[in-house]
Every structure is written in C-alpha cells, then in structure tokens.
Amino acid sequence: MDFKELLKNEYIILDGGMGTMLQKSGLKLGGIPEVLNIENPETVINIHRQYIDAGSQIISSNTFGANAYKLKDSGYTVEEIITAGINNAKTAAEGKALVALDIGPIGQLIEPSGALTFEEAYEYFKEEILAGKDADLIFFETMTDLLELKAGILAAKENSNKPIVASMTFEENMRTFSGVSVGSAAITLQGLGVDAIGVNCSLGPDELAPVVKEFVKWSKVPVFVKPNAGLPDPNSNTYNVGPVDFAESMAQIADYGTVKLVGGCCGTTPEYIKALKNALSGKKYKKATVTTDTAICSGTTVCEISQPRVIGERINPTGKKLFKQALINNDIDYILNQAISQVNAGADILDVNVGLPEIDEKEMMVNVVKALQSVVDVPLQIDSTKPDVLEAALRIYNGKPIVNSVNGEEKSLDTVLPLVKKYGASVIGLTLDKDGIPKTAEGRFEIAKKIVDRAKAVGIDPKDVYIDCLTLTVSAEQEGCKETLNALHRVKTELGCKTCLGVSNISFGLPNRKLVNHIFLTMALEEGLDLPIINPNDEEMMGAISAYKVLANIDKNSTAFIEKYNDAVVEKPKQISAEITLSYAIMNGLKSEASALTEKALEKCDPMDIVNNELIPALDKVGADFESNKIFLPQLIQSANVAQVCFEVIKKHLSNSNNAPVSKGKIILATVKGDIHDIGKNIVKVLLDNYGYTVVDLGRDVDPQVVVDTAISQDIKMIGLSALMTTTLKSMEDTIALVRNTKELQNSDGSSKCVIFVGGAVLTEDYAMKIGADYYCRDAKESVDTAKKVLG
C-alpha cells in the first residue's frame, strides 16, 4: 500500500495528538518530545499502536520539532532523532498504516520578518528530509509562514520523491499568525505541486469550519483537516470538545467536499480517532467544484483575474534616468517608493524589471523582490529575459507570481516553462518568435496557441497562461492596432486564456498620447483585455477602467465607481511626495530615507520631540493598521525595524553630545520554564525596543527564580511572561506566585511592586487574571499599550 492507493479510499483516517499522548505518559516539563524516540522508544511505539488500533491509516512520526535549531542542546543529531522516530513508527505500523515524516516550523522568523534566510530554512528542512528517507510520505504541519513552508516543500521536492501533505494553522480571523490568507496558502501550495493541502491545530472543528470551506473553494487536490479538541482548559489540562462531538463536527466538515484526510491535533487521543472513524463509516467522499477563477497572490493577498486588473509598469528602468541611477546606487528606497505610489493609486499587481547592464541583475532582482514583499502586499510580476534571474526571484517569492515572459521561440519555451511549472507561477506569453512579431492576427494567434500547447505539455494549466498579443505603435504601423485587437479577441474566445497588453506603446511618436492610450485601452477592454499594463498614477487611464467595469456590469450597482467619484470630486491618486516625511518613511518601511530624515531633523529639533511627535505616532498608526488587518506581520516588523534605525541615529546623536538617551523604563521578557517557543516574545521585544523601553530578554525555558533575581538585581517593576503550551501554564502561574511572594518585590503594605503582563496562544484573559497577572496581552501591540499605561 502507498499513498496513491490510499487516496482511492473514501476517507483517509490520520492520527491524533502525539504531544497530548506523551504528556499523558509523563513527559517531563520542558523536555524535548523527539528525544523519547531514542531514550524511551517503547512509549512512542505504544502511542503509535493505540492510534493504529483506533483506525489511523497514516501515523506521523514523533519528529515535529526535529530540526537542527530546536535540537541544538539535545545531545543528539537530527539524523539520530529522525531515524529513530521513523523506525519506531514503522515498528508500530507493521504494514497496517503508512508512516509520515512529520515536520513542523523551524522556530525562527524567516526574512523579512526575522533574521532566518530562505536558504538557511531550506538547509534545515533538507537535513530533516534526508534523515527521513524511509518514511512513506512527508507531512508539513502547523506552519504559519508561507515562505518558510515553501522552503520546506522545495527541499522535499529536490531531495526526495515522497508524496507531500502541507498544512498551515489559522486563527479565527482566517489568517495565520504571520498574516497568510487561506486563498494565498491554497493557491501557492497547489502551484508547488503538493499532494494535499489543509489546516491543523489552533482551533476546534467548529471554529475551523470557515477556514476549511475557503480551502475547498480553491482546492483541486484533496484537503487535509486536523483540528484541536476545541479550546484548552488550563485548569485541568484538557480541552472542551469530547470525542463524540468532535467526530460529529468532522462528519459535517466532510460534507463540504474535497476533504479527504481527517484526524486530530492538540488534545485529541485514540478515543477521538475511533469516534471519527465510526462517524465517517459508510459516508461517501465527494469532490467539490472549484468556484474561483485563475488567480495569483502574495503571501497575504489574492488577486483573482475575474475582471480587469491593473499591472503597474513603473518599476522598470527603460526610459527612466532616475530609476537607472537608483539601480546603480542600490537605492532600494527609491524603488519601494515607486511601488507604494502605484499601489496607493490602485495597481493590483506590480511588474518588477531591474535589468541594467551596469549591475548584477540577479542579485538586484532578489533584493528588490524581498524588499517589496516587506512593504506592499499586492502580487508581483517578475520581468526578465534571463532564466537565471527569473529562477532566483521565483525561488524566494512568497506566493504565486506572474513570470514576464515566455515567447514562441524554442529556446524560450524550453527554458522558461519548466521554471513556471516548478515554482507554480503564471506566465505572460508573448506572441512573437524567431521571425519577430507577426503582422496579422492569425500569425499571433498561432504563436499563442503554440505557447498554450507547450505549457499544457509540461503540466501548466492553460488558465495560468496570460497571452500578450503585443501592442504596435500606430504612428509606424497604423493597421497593427486592429490586428492586435483581433488577435486578443480570438485568444480570449477560442483559447480561453486571460490576456495582457502593454497599453502605452500604441501612442509612441504621436501628440496627445494620453488621449490615444485612453481610447485604445477602452477598445482593448471591450475585446477581452484582462491585464492592462499601465501607469496607475494616470488618472484618466484608471478612470477608464473604473467606467468600463460599470458599463460591463462588473462593478455591481456601480458601488466602487460611486465610492471613487462621489459628489463629482475626483480624488487624485497619491503620488510620490517630492518631500517624504519621517512618519511616511516609517509607516512604509523606507529604512535609508528614514535614517537620512532623522539626521536632518536633528539639525533643527530636540531629539525627544522627534521621538514623541514623529516616531511614536507613526508606530501607533502602524499598530492600529495591524490590529485592523490593513497590514500584516511583515509590514509591522519592517516599520518597527525602520523606527529602530531612527532611534539608533538619535542615540548616537545624544551620545556624541554627552547626553545619554533616556529609557522609558525597564521590562523583563521571558518564555516560562519548560516552554521553548519564543517567536511571539521576540516580536514583543522588537516593538517595545522601538517605543523606547529597555528590554531585558531572559530568553526561553526560564526558571521562575531567574525572573525574580533579575527583577531584584536590576530594580525592574514590569515583567512580561509568554507560554505557548498548555502544559507550561503551570510554570507561568508558579513564576507569578514567586514574584508576588518575594519580600524584596513587595511594598511596605505587602502589595507587589511588579506589574506582570502575560500572553500566548493557549491563554485567555480570564485565566490570566485567575493566575494573578495584571494584564493579558493578545498580541505585541497590546503589550506596547500596556507598557504605556504602566510606565508611560
């Protein structure tokens, strides 16, 4: 039996929580579960057998955290732990179940949110995959960062031939911790060629139901669902949904269609799996119909090509002296400004071309793509004539991009299309070949058909091929305009492909170019143009598209048009300001601009005026946008990092003037004893640092006495504690109790001198108050708000 054969079953029953069962078996607080593969294999094997006896057809090895970063202090190598883990699972399975190599997050934030590079993440995963070579398939579970998961999938694809199941964990806002949307996950993961996609952990089955529905809407491959047993009750270390209720909810989820692989995560046991198997017994699997159109995405935003979408053309050095100089000077902020301006003006997608003989195009393309994805959330179109440049950018792109472009030449087809397939992109097909651009619509249509046929031959869905019938200059070839439009119409109606055009080429050499561009755009839209490549800062062109959507019955009830043009007041698109403000630079992640502006401001302003009137209000605005889901974790951290640059400039200035910077107060941060998860704590530290507080970071797995001793020795009156695991909430309670009961940290009336705030995925506000905390902070922004209340 293999995974392909197993997929012929109505449903595939997975296992439940390994950590839950290990805790029931007496796993020591703070212990590394994966070490038990070697030190207590009988316990691990017994858990696997219990799940198989309950009906599991695939069991996951006890290797979730078996990467080099998490195992560095374990005394064992990745190969030793994973080899033992796979052997234990195989011993238990005895051919009655398949064994999945279980892989979880590395435990560090990947760039741009953190310091871990894509290449480093790839190497961590590669080591795990090579060590797990004897597994039957690979499970990526509980992932929150789509780019990190992409690194893992590429490592699996390039170093094994095992089937791959990829799962992310979503919160009730339908996004992961890092802001990934369900649509972005579904589109990207399917593009990378995984065998099943889905969701696990975080929430119970009823709370995850909307997430699963969204996956089903996008998914052409089987969907994977492993919820928690509801929500945790920290008082009893149990969860609030029992086996029968869990199974009934999962049976209802199965009715959505396309849901094929089902099991449980935290809090679930063999009893849950047995109930789940019984609930699905005799139930017929059904495949849901995908109801969405072709789409591309960033890590956070989906752009469905179901109506005309604007591709911004300004990130391109052709004919732009300032842009060329910015590339030569490595002035990334200039490029980011171009991007922000276009997005503010309404661009749905940004074309990115950095080709210039004077620079290393591949290095620049990678740097620009990374930088763009940290400040804007629209999808990108990667534009280069060099396959190595395209691949370098495709590899580190977070989401599903467009490749610009392939054409009808054999060399182009042979080199570009395999890259598009491997990295799951869409592609622009140019209707030209070795003989140039055909003068007739028929000639261009034939090249378009050739491109589509060759794309299908390498496994690319024709819906992911966007044909550009090429705009010729009417001042030189006036008859070419109608040929372009006729070709576009045939491609749309006969091949069923989406279409693309660089609109402004039509008017080159003519007076009143805007008028010609405007009319040609309208003509092309009527013939079926989906993706006009234009300057979105051109109000007339954007207005033509808005009006077309009304007249073509796309903008229902003219809602968007009325909102844009209400009271006949035309709001001009936001152009790049001639003089960028410091607040603008911080809010938009422009690091070098912000540094220079801070230096300039210090010539006239008091340093603390800059902090209080520019830096802090800008960070407050960024925080408010984060809380309202207008921006996501990468943009939040990018703005915080830019603010940190400004603070460093100010600190240096104060140091040079023998006037030491004044801290707003000291705060201890610690992940409690037994808990090794510190990503959330680290994000809190970044924000607190940038608001001017001095953070004493004690790290993770911190003994309560260390917290107390630090508070006493450094006279610290505010303490932040973090926990991600239900089992370590007792450590949080013990730490709070020790702080409260230590005489040196008490006032004369016996009250505590210290204010304690707590956070973490398993916490609730009620429980935080019950264990003696003063504040419960849901996220990093609330931690800053709390510090302001307490310390000012």
Side-chain angles (χ1 to χ4, degrees):
M1 178 178 62
D2 60 17
F3 185 65
K4 189 175 180 180
E5 284 294 315
L6 203 55
L7 282 173
K8 295 177 181 178
N9 291 0
E10 297 296 333
Y11 295 96
I12 299 174
I13 308 298
L14 308 172
D15 57 9
M18 172 59 74
T20 301
M21 295 296 288
L22 288 174
Q23 289 160 21
K24 287 178 178 289
S25 302
L27 174 65
K28 188 175 70 172
L29 182 65
I32 300 174
E34 293 79 13
V35 167
L36 296 180
N37 289 328
I38 294 173
E39 296 182 355
N40 192 354
E42 295 81 10
T43 296
V44 177
I45 292 169
N46 181 48
I47 292 169
H48 286 317
R49 283 178 174 153
Q50 289 183 60
Y51 278 122
I52 293 168
D53 291 343
S56 296
Q57 296 162 291
I58 299 176
I59 55 173
S60 296
S61 59
N62 179 34
T63 55
F64 178 80
N67 63 67
Y69 176 71
K70 289 183 176 177
L71 293 179
K72 59 186 175 185
D73 298 321
S74 70
Y76 297 100
T77 66
V78 170
E79 184 176 9
E80 288 170 336
I81 292 289
I82 289 182
T83 299
I86 298 298
N87 287 341
N88 291 339
K90 290 278 188 180
T91 299
E94 297 178 324
K96 292 181 287 187
L98 297 182
V99 172
L101 168 63
D102 197 42
I103 299 177
I106 293 165
Q108 299 182 72
L109 286 173
I110 197 168
E111 59 184 1
S113 301
L116 183 70
T117 68
F118 182 87
E119 293 76 17
E120 289 167 341
Y122 176 92
E123 291 300 324
Y124 277 125
F125 288 124
K126 178 181 176 181
E127 185 177 19
E128 292 181 81
I129 286 153
L130 292 176
K133 62 184 184 303
D134 293 329
D136 298 305
L137 66 157
I138 299 169
F139 268 16
F140 289 99
E141 292 191 276
T142 326
M143 306 297 287
T144 62
D145 191 307
L146 188 57
L147 188 60
E148 180 184 1
L149 180 51
K150 179 177 180 176
I153 291 168
L154 288 176
K157 288 276 185 181
E158 293 172 357
N159 295 282
S160 82
N161 58 1
K162 311 284 186 189
I164 300 170
V165 175
S167 173
M168 303 195 80
T169 183
F170 290 84
E171 300 172 8
E172 287 188 276
N173 65 358
M174 303 280 285
R175 292 186 179 272
T176 72
F177 168 73
S178 65
V180 178
S181 68
V182 178
S184 290
I187 292 165
T188 303
L189 298 177
Q190 288 180 94
L192 291 170
V194 302
D195 298 277
I197 61 174
V199 58
N200 77 292
C201 203
S202 184
L203 301 168
D206 291 343
E207 293 80 12
L208 276 184
V211 175
V212 178
K213 280 184 179 179
E214 186 71 9
F215 263 113
V216 169
K217 186 174 85 173
W218 289 100
S219 186
K220 298 175 184 177
V221 300
V223 169
F224 161 105
V225 185
K226 284 185 72 173
N228 290 347
L231 300 173
D233 178 359
N235 292 314
S236 60
N237 286 336
T238 61
Y239 286 71
N240 66 356
V241 177
V244 174
D245 290 341
F246 179 90
E248 288 177 355
S249 294
M250 289 294 284
Q252 292 174 14
I253 285 175
D255 288 335
Y256 298 160
T258 312
V259 175
K260 186 83 169 179
L261 298 88
V262 291
C265 203
C266 300
T268 61
T269 63
E271 289 75 23
Y272 285 78
I273 300 307
K274 184 175 181 180
L276 176 58
K277 180 184 177 184
N278 291 338
L280 294 178
S281 179
K283 197 176 186 70
K284 292 291 184 182
Y285 166 80
K286 61 179 180 180
K287 181 82 170 69
T289 302
V290 175
T291 58
T292 51
D293 208 330
T294 182
I296 56 171
C297 65
S298 65
T300 57
T301 302
V302 172
C303 180
E304 192 174 357
I305 319 296
S306 55
Q307 58 178 284
R309 302 292 189 183
V310 173
I311 300 178
E313 66 181 4
R314 300 298 297 167
I315 303 178
N316 189 317
T318 305
K320 304 182 186 76
K321 289 183 180 179
L322 289 177
F323 197 101
K324 288 179 180 178
Q325 196 58 49
L327 290 175
I328 293 169
N329 295 342
N330 196 32
D331 185 357
I332 299 295
D333 276 7
Y334 179 88
I335 299 169
L336 297 184
N337 259 314
Q338 293 287 339
I340 294 163
S341 171
Q342 291 181 95
V343 172
N344 287 342
D348 300 294
I349 304 159
L350 296 179
D351 185 80
V352 183
N353 184 313
V354 295
L356 202 64
E358 296 93 328
I359 65 169
D360 182 332
E361 183 182 349
K362 182 165 75 171
E363 181 181 7
M364 179 60 75
M365 178 66 87
V366 168
N367 291 340
V368 168
V369 168
K370 288 180 180 179
L372 285 170
Q373 291 208 286
S374 71
V375 299
V376 297
D377 63 358
V378 300
L380 303 182
Q381 176 169 284
I382 300 166
D383 186 352
S384 178
T385 58
K386 299 177 180 178
D388 64 322
V389 174
L390 292 176
E391 178 158 29
L394 285 168
R395 197 166 182 83
I396 54 87
Y397 180 82
N398 190 10
K400 176 184 176 182
I402 304 175
V403 169
N404 188 8
S405 57
V406 70
N407 61 54
E409 290 190 58
E410 288 299 318
K411 182 179 179 182
S412 178
L413 294 166
D414 290 341
T415 55
V416 175
L417 291 180
L419 294 177
V420 173
K421 172 61 178 173
K422 176 178 179 178
Y423 293 103
S426 292
V427 63
I428 300 292
L430 303 181
T431 54
L432 59 83
D433 58 16
K434 60 182 177 57
D435 297 319
I437 303 172
K439 293 189 177 298
T440 65
E442 177 66 28
R444 292 184 222 179
F445 177 82
E446 288 303 318
I447 295 176
K449 187 174 183 304
K450 176 182 179 181
I451 291 171
V452 171
D453 289 343
R454 291 289 288 273
K456 287 167 64 176
V458 299
I460 298 170
D461 189 331
K463 290 183 178 179
D464 284 324
V465 181
Y466 310 151
I467 296 297
D468 186 340
C469 292
L470 299 170
T471 306
L472 300 178
T473 304
V474 290
S475 61
E477 298 183 61
Q478 196 164 356
E479 69 284 356
C481 176
K482 287 299 285 183
E483 295 299 324
T484 296
L485 295 175
N486 289 340
L488 188 154
H489 179 80
R490 288 193 63 190
V491 165
K492 190 69 181 283
T493 57
E494 296 178 38
L495 297 181
C497 291
K498 301 298 181 183
T499 59
C500 173
L501 275 180
V503 175
S504 60
N505 294 341
I506 194 76
S507 63
F508 188 78
L510 291 176
N512 201 351
R513 292 190 64 186
K514 279 192 174 184
L515 177 61
V516 177
N517 292 344
H518 180 178
I519 300 304
F520 176 66
L521 171 62
T522 307
M523 294 170 69
L525 289 169
E526 182 59 21
E527 295 297 341
L529 176 60
D530 299 290
L531 296 168
I533 303 177
I534 63 173
N535 176 6
N537 295 111
D538 187 324
E539 182 189 320
E540 291 183 8
M541 296 291 275
M542 296 298 285
I545 294 171
S546 296
Y548 171 79
K549 289 182 181 180
V550 171
L551 301 174
N553 197 28
I554 295 168
D555 180 6
K556 299 295 182 182
N557 301 314
S558 308
T559 303
F561 189 86
I562 292 170
E563 183 180 347
K564 185 173 183 178
Y565 296 108
N566 194 26
D567 298 326
V569 175
V570 178
E571 182 180 342
K572 291 185 179 295
K574 298 175 184 177
Q575 301 279 352
I576 300 173
S577 173
E579 191 169 334
I580 295 170
T581 65
L582 180 55
S583 296
Y584 178 93
I586 293 170
M587 289 188 288
N588 289 283
L590 306 177
K591 194 173 289 185
S592 62
E593 294 275 8
S595 177
L597 288 166
T598 304
E599 294 275 12
K600 187 176 180 181
L602 285 168
E603 296 173 4
K604 300 178 180 179
C605 303
D606 179 79
M608 292 315 297
D609 284 344
I610 298 171
V611 171
N612 294 324
N613 299 329
E614 294 279 359
L615 271 59
I616 298 303
L619 285 172
D620 285 343
K621 177 64 168 63
V622 170
D625 286 348
F626 175 73
E627 287 187 328
S628 60
N629 286 330
K630 291 179 181 177
I631 64 169
F632 302 100
L633 188 63
Q635 290 81 29
L636 175 71
I637 292 181
Q638 178 72 4
S639 288
N641 288 337
V642 172
Q644 184 64 44
V645 169
C646 300
F647 277 114
E648 291 303 322
V649 171
I650 291 170
K651 286 177 184 178
K652 183 179 178 182
H653 174 85
L654 291 171
S655 177
N656 290 341
S657 61
N658 295 317
N659 188 4
V662 178
S663 168
K664 291 186 176 180
K666 284 187 176 182
I667 303 173
I668 289 173
L669 289 184
T671 301
V672 298
K673 180 67 179 174
D675 203 317
I676 61 170
H677 302 88
D678 62 356
I679 286 178
K681 172 188 67 65
N682 293 342
I683 294 170
V684 172
K685 179 182 184 300
V686 168
L687 282 193
L688 288 173
D689 279 341
N690 286 293
Y691 272 85
Y693 300 100
T694 301
V695 177
V696 179
D697 185 358
L698 299 181
R700 55 188 183 172
D701 190 20
V702 180
D703 190 275
Q705 190 63 50
V706 174
V707 175
V708 168
D709 291 344
T710 304
I712 294 170
S713 65
Q714 298 195 36
D715 191 26
I716 298 176
K717 302 297 192 297
M718 191 168 187
I719 299 169
L721 302 175
S722 171
L724 190 69
M725 301 162 63
T726 308
T727 53
T728 59
L729 289 176
K730 185 65 168 62
S731 290
M732 181 177 281
E733 184 176 3
D734 291 345
T735 304
I736 294 171
L738 186 60
V739 170
R740 301 301 190 209
N741 295 327
T742 299
K743 288 187 177 181
E744 292 90 337
L745 297 177
Q746 292 176 350
N747 295 309
S748 58
D749 62 357
S751 62
S752 178
K753 293 180 180 179
C754 295
V755 173
I756 299 175
F757 65 102
V758 297
V762 294
L763 273 175
T764 63
E765 185 169 9
D766 287 344
Y767 185 73
M769 298 303 104
K770 191 178 294 184
I771 62 176
D774 297 293
Y775 292 94
Y776 163 71
C777 297
R778 182 170 47 90
D779 55 31
K781 178 60 170 54
E782 286 192 5
S783 299
V784 170
D785 293 340
T786 300
K788 287 180 181 179
K789 289 178 187 176
V790 176
L791 299 176

